[in-house]
Structures are given as structure tokens and as C-alpha cells.
Amino acid sequence: MGAGLLGGDVESVAARLRGVELKAQEHEADMAVFERDHTALDLRVKRLEGELEDLRRQRIEAYARWWNTREDRDRALHIARRLRRRLERVRRRRLRPVDGYAEG
């Protein structure tokens, strides 16, 4: 009677072992899929990070161009103001009466 129970226990343990090993193989297959997905996502992230770095560089360059153009505009406006004041001074001098008469 003891041998029969022992034989039954061996078979149930063996059956349970096969079930657990099949489950482990299923998990192994799932892990392979997840690993491929992870590798693909990792490559995509690296590509996007490279694009982001390039876009940040372009943004900085665009701002530098804007800043330099702004500086050039401000410089041109400053020179225009100075020339306008000089022109007004010249006009006032020409219109100033000389011996009772205005020139021009």
C-alpha cells in the first residue's frame, strides 16, 4: 500500500513539474517578445533624443540669429535718430534769419 501511494505521488509531482516547466517556457517566450520590444523602444528613444538634441541646437541658433538681428535693428534705429536730430539742426540753422532775412 505504501508503494502505491508513493507511485501516485511521483506521478502527480511529475505532472506538476511538467506544468510548471511549460509555464516557465511560456514566460521565457513572453520575455523574448518583451526584450525585442524593449530593444526597439530603446533604439527609438535614442533616435528621438538625438533629434531633440538637434532641435535644441537649432532653437539656440535661431534665437542667436534673432538676437543679432534685433541688435542690428536697434543700432540702425539709434543711428537714424541721431541723423534725424542732425537734419533738424541743419534745417533750423538754414531757416534762422540772417540780418532779418530767412535763408532758403
Side-chain angles (χ1 to χ4, degrees):
M1 186 169 161
L5 285 176
L6 187 60
D9 284 345
V10 169
E11 288 177 16
S12 70
V13 171
R16 189 164 177 222
L17 174 62
R18 282 191 300 275
V20 171
E21 285 177 337
L22 283 174
K23 198 68 164 163
Q25 289 173 357
E26 290 173 9
H27 289 307
E28 190 74 32
D30 289 343
M31 287 172 59
V33 170
F34 297 148
E35 188 174 349
R36 282 193 304 273
D37 290 347
H38 179 269
T39 301
L41 287 170
D42 193 43
L43 290 172
R44 186 172 176 207
V45 164
K46 287 179 182 175
R47 189 187 87 244
L48 290 172
E49 285 174 342
E51 287 180 29
L52 180 60
E53 184 178 324
D54 188 47
L55 289 171
R56 284 181 172 150
R57 182 187 50 77
Q58 289 178 27
R59 180 185 64 179
I60 290 169
E61 290 171 357
Y63 183 77
R65 287 191 305 274
W66 176 86
W67 183 267
N68 291 336
T69 302
R70 179 179 167 261
E71 290 288 317
D72 292 345
R73 179 208 60 190
D74 290 350
R75 198 173 303 112
L77 289 172
H78 176 71
I79 291 170
R81 281 191 300 270
R82 289 179 58 197
L83 290 174
R84 193 174 298 115
R85 284 193 301 262
R86 183 183 299 171
L87 181 61
E88 288 301 316
R89 281 194 307 268
V90 169
R91 283 183 181 158
R92 281 194 304 267
R93 285 185 199 136
R94 291 184 73 201
L95 294 177
R96 199 176 305 149
V98 176
D99 296 329
Y101 296 101
E103 294 181 26

